[in-house]
Amino acid sequence: MICYLFEEPSFLIFTAEAPELLYYSHIPATVLALLIGFFVYFSNRKHLLNKLLLLISLCFSAWTTASLLAWTNTNADFLAALWSIFAISATFLSILSVYFIYVFLEKRDIGFKTKIVFLVLILPVLLFSHTDLNISGFNLANCDAFDHEGLYFKAYYTTLGFISMAWILALLIRGYKKAGSSMKKQILLIGSGMEFFLISFITTTFIVTYLVNNGLLPDSRLEMYSLFGMVIFMTMVSILIVKFNTFRVGMVASQALVLALIILVASQYTYTSTKTTVGLTTISLLLTTVIGFLLIRSVKKEIKQREKIESLASTLEIANVRLQQMDKLKSEFVSIASHQLRSPITAISGYASLMSEGSYGEVPSKMKEPIERIVQSARMMATSIEDYLNVSRIEAGNMKYNFADFNLNDEVEHICDDLRAEALKRSLVLLFRKRVDGQGIVNGDIGKVQQIIHNLINNSIKYTQKGAITVYVHDDIKNKRVFVDILDTGIGMSAETIAGIFQKFERGDKANTVNVTGTGLGLYVAQKMTQAMGGTISAHSDGEGQGSRFTLQLPLVM
Ligand code: ADP
């Protein structure tokens, strides 16, 4: 059946009777969509976002091609068949747009369940588009099927379009809230482009169909304006390509794209003849050229900055590797040196102790003090060497822990008993207090825990000139924690000192005035070992001269 009022088209789409806006609205939008769709796809085929953009441009082109054919052809059977393409491509466009925006925002594929939802939504259109539910007849007089369109069918896929718009808006708002500043700009560009396209495409077709069906418009000519939304969307996509490299396209390719767009817009002069279309083409050409030029210029600037940052980053990386190598060498050196120092210092310490105890005969009273000094110095040196060795073990990841259950209360009490004499020598009182509800059983390396507590109490003795040191064990059964507080009335610490003392080689400003021989490694080692056993050490002080409180916290075994 042939519509009798119209002439046969040449090359399927050209007729003298077609309004000129038809070609102007359909051809550039379609060519632009396909150009950018394929360009993005072939620039990076693995990127899901690029595949989705190509699918969107293909669906859009299917719709525009069907529309061009429907406007210009006269074979009723052929035209009726085209009607299913409208429904299917519009539905796919709606769903693909949601999919595209999701992947753009989340940088990953949608979940399986959402894919099923998409499929369920699309299925009715696929199943019924070639049935009477879509169109039930054809009007040979005006050569279209608007009078015979199925109301529910059209309402279904149009509603789907509106749902997609709302869905996309919700995704965009959520994405925008959690995005960084660069991503926010990209979301605004792609979001406005996509929503503008969907609103103009779906809403205009919907309104035009409604008006035509109700006899308020003679034909669906107005629908043609709806396609400019795609031009806007693709312009936004081009900005994302060139400026933000969203689709991971190379820079040279991006510049080629801008050039191709300018040529494309200019080529419209070849088939535009009315004043309106020539004017429109000139405005588009000017806009494309100016935007393209600005984009390329800003991108060039960015590339230069990026290159500078990259070269700085690579220099830094080299320096970093070198530093790491040196740090490793230093640790190895410290480890070797410490091992070699350990045996002689143990011998010196041992023999000096035996001498001072009188194992080699009565020591003349004049010799007693010098020998005691040797004993003290040798002990301090042995402690420092042990600290160096511990640091190199920790850094090499070689520290071994023998975990077992033990009673922390008893251990702390024993250590206090051992150190009381040392404190008394400095006229300090060392008190032990406990208030525990549970057994105080801890799972850890008993030797290391002793070393940590010994170190903390020893520090309090070192950094306190007069007053008392109180060691207080208490527990929190509910949270399965046990605490050892070591409080002193010593030199105290400023907030800046506290912030640094757990770092390697860090010593407080005032530390040297009281105790000159520290290494600044004790707390670093203690903290690392405590952490390895699931605990923490924290330091508190109300300020210099106000005393200090160190708290060791370990998990309880219940
Ligand atoms: P060292 O005592 O060898 O300097 P540490 O790592 O044990 O090294 O301690 C680091 C620094 O923390 C000390 O130099 C000192 O400034 C500060 N500090 C540690 N314990 C106390 C304390 N009880 N009172 C005041 N300052 C302390």
Side-chain angles (χ1 to χ4, degrees):
M1 281 186 293
I2 301 292
C3 306
Y4 37 83
L5 281 181
F6 299 95
E7 269 183 35
E8 273 292 302
S10 49
F11 304 110
L12 276 172
I13 58 166
F14 294 107
T15 69
E17 288 147 352
E20 202 182 341
L21 189 66
L22 176 76
Y23 302 113
Y24 187 78
S25 65
H26 282 64
I27 296 173
T30 312
V31 175
L32 182 69
L34 288 176
L35 177 82
I36 294 181
F38 276 107
F39 167 78
V40 161
Y41 175 70
F42 284 114
S43 300
N44 190 339
R45 285 188 223 192
K46 287 196 199 103
H47 205 26
L48 176 62
L49 197 67
N50 300 21
K51 289 182 199 165
L52 290 170
L53 189 73
L54 176 65
L55 284 178
I56 287 178
S57 60
L58 287 175
C59 282
F60 176 76
S61 311
W63 195 96
T64 48
T65 312
S67 170
L68 264 180
L69 294 170
W71 268 95
T72 48
N73 279 264
T74 50
N75 185 319
D77 294 327
F78 176 56
L79 289 178
L82 285 177
W83 243 254
S84 15
I85 296 180
F86 290 138
I88 293 173
S89 53
T91 308
F92 269 96
L93 267 175
S94 305
I95 297 296
L96 281 169
S97 302
V98 180
Y99 197 168
F100 175 85
I101 290 293
Y102 182 90
V103 175
F104 171 77
L105 293 169
E106 301 293 327
K107 313 263 177 292
R108 64 182 155 88
D109 199 356
I110 49 164
F112 182 69
K113 279 188 201 150
T114 323
K115 279 185 187 157
I116 298 287
V117 172
F118 283 173
L119 199 70
V120 169
L121 291 173
I122 291 171
L123 215 57
V125 181
L126 282 181
L127 290 178
F128 303 117
S129 65
H130 61 283
T131 67
D132 283 359
L133 285 174
N134 185 4
I135 54 164
S136 54
F138 200 81
N139 189 338
L140 284 180
N142 56 14
C143 212
D144 68 37
F146 285 117
D147 298 339
H148 305 277
E149 278 190 324
L151 192 69
Y152 293 118
F153 188 78
K154 182 125 192 177
Y156 177 76
Y157 74 81
T158 311
T159 311
L160 213 56
F162 288 120
I163 291 174
S164 301
M165 279 184 237
W167 194 340
I168 288 172
L169 193 66
L171 287 174
L172 288 170
I173 292 173
R174 201 185 62 178
Y176 188 83
K177 278 188 188 154
K178 56 179 186 186
S181 71
S182 157
M183 189 60 187
K184 275 198 165 87
K185 280 185 209 155
Q186 297 184 47
I187 292 175
L188 280 180
L189 284 169
I190 204 80
S192 57
M194 180 59 97
E195 288 287 12
F196 188 82
F197 161 63
L198 287 177
I199 289 170
S200 67
F201 182 66
I202 294 179
T203 319
T204 318
T205 27
F206 173 72
I207 294 172
V208 169
T209 312
Y210 177 81
L211 293 177
V212 172
N213 281 355
N214 287 289
L216 296 166
L217 273 182
D219 60 30
S220 58
R221 190 170 298 222
L222 214 63
E223 209 174 74
M224 291 185 283
Y225 287 100
S226 71
L227 304 180
F228 287 117
M230 181 48 104
V231 179
I232 305 283
F233 174 60
M234 284 303 173
T235 308
M236 300 307 186
V237 169
S238 313
I239 297 177
L240 288 183
I241 294 171
V242 183
K243 187 143 173 66
F244 297 98
N245 201 14
T246 309
F247 299 87
R248 303 182 194 169
V249 171
M251 266 312 136
V252 179
S254 311
Q255 293 177 4
L257 175 72
V258 173
L259 193 70
L261 289 182
I262 295 172
I263 295 171
L264 172 72
V265 178
S267 71
Q268 285 169 49
Y269 283 119
T270 53
Y271 60 85
T272 51
S273 53
T274 67
K275 270 190 185 148
T276 332
T277 50
V278 168
L280 279 174
T281 306
T282 310
I283 293 170
S284 316
L285 185 62
L286 275 174
L287 277 178
T288 322
T289 315
V290 171
I291 294 177
F293 174 74
L294 288 178
L295 275 175
I296 288 176
R297 208 178 59 167
S298 84
V299 166
K300 270 195 180 146
K301 216 164 104 190
E302 257 168 48
I303 289 177
K304 264 196 192 142
Q305 283 171 347
R306 202 183 306 159
E307 276 171 1
K308 214 166 150 190
I309 292 171
E310 271 166 15
S311 96
L312 275 176
S314 77
T315 321
L316 259 181
E317 213 175 291
I318 294 167
N320 205 11
V321 171
R322 181 100 193 89
L323 265 180
Q324 277 172 0
Q325 285 169 345
M326 278 162 64
D327 201 44
K328 209 171 148 225
L329 275 177
K330 184 211 70 195
S331 295
E332 279 166 11
F333 167 75
V334 169
S335 171
I336 293 166
S338 310
H339 271 294
Q340 302 212 336
L341 287 173
R342 197 155 59 163
S343 321
I345 204 66
T346 317
I348 294 171
S349 171
Y351 281 113
S353 291
L354 288 172
M355 276 165 79
S356 94
E357 283 160 13
S359 304
Y360 300 105
E362 184 69 26
V363 182
S365 59
K366 250 183 151 182
M367 292 278 286
K368 273 191 181 147
E369 205 198 316
I371 292 177
E372 188 55 30
R373 286 253 178 103
I374 296 175
V375 173
Q376 291 299 333
S377 306
R379 204 175 286 158
M380 253 160 8
M381 199 165 166
T383 318
S384 303
I385 290 170
E386 204 48 49
D387 277 347
Y388 287 127
L389 277 172
N390 279 330
V391 171
S392 36
R393 281 189 202 116
I394 286 169
E395 287 184 350
N398 284 338
M399 190 65 108
K400 300 270 180 304
Y401 294 86
N402 299 315
F403 281 88
D405 287 357
F406 64 90
N407 189 314
L408 186 74
N409 300 333
D410 297 347
E411 290 312 319
V412 179
E413 195 165 0
H414 289 155
I415 298 168
C416 286
D417 291 342
D418 288 347
L419 286 173
R420 194 158 286 118
E422 182 71 28
L424 268 178
K425 264 194 212 164
R426 295 172 164 247
S427 317
L428 299 168
V429 186
L430 177 57
L431 300 165
F432 171 74
R433 300 259 180 279
K434 68 173 176 186
R435 208 207 65 222
V436 285
D437 298 326
Q439 301 285 313
I441 304 294
V442 163
N443 183 270
D445 185 320
I446 184 164
K448 304 244 170 6
V449 173
Q450 284 170 341
Q451 191 184 330
I452 295 163
I453 297 167
H454 196 280
N455 202 342
L456 292 175
I457 302 179
N458 212 21
N459 269 355
S460 281
I461 297 176
K462 281 193 316 193
Y463 296 111
T464 305
Q465 281 151 321
K466 63 173 195 301
I469 290 134
T470 311
V471 180
Y472 177 43
V473 184
H474 54 110
D475 59 6
D476 175 357
I477 301 286
K478 212 171 98 204
N479 294 309
K480 299 187 187 162
R481 299 268 137 190
V482 61
F483 306 88
V484 184
D485 286 345
I486 296 123
L487 300 106
D488 63 47
T489 53
I491 60 166
M493 293 170 287
S494 63
E496 291 108 58
T497 304
I498 295 180
I501 52 173
F502 291 103
Q503 319 263 347
K504 241 189 315 179
F505 299 112
E506 281 287 339
R507 305 200 67 211
D509 297 337
K510 290 275 176 303
N512 278 340
T513 59
V514 198
N515 160 51
V516 188
T517 50
T519 54
L521 291 174
L523 287 179
Y524 169 78
V525 171
Q527 175 80 294
K528 292 281 176 205
M529 294 199 302
T530 310
Q531 282 167 352
M533 292 186 280
T536 57
I537 302 180
S538 54
H540 307 269
S541 173
D542 288 338
E544 283 174 3
Q546 307 290 312
S548 310
R549 187 179 89 232
F550 282 81
T551 303
L552 166 73
Q553 183 241 111
L554 287 167
L556 273 178
V557 178
M558 304 296 274

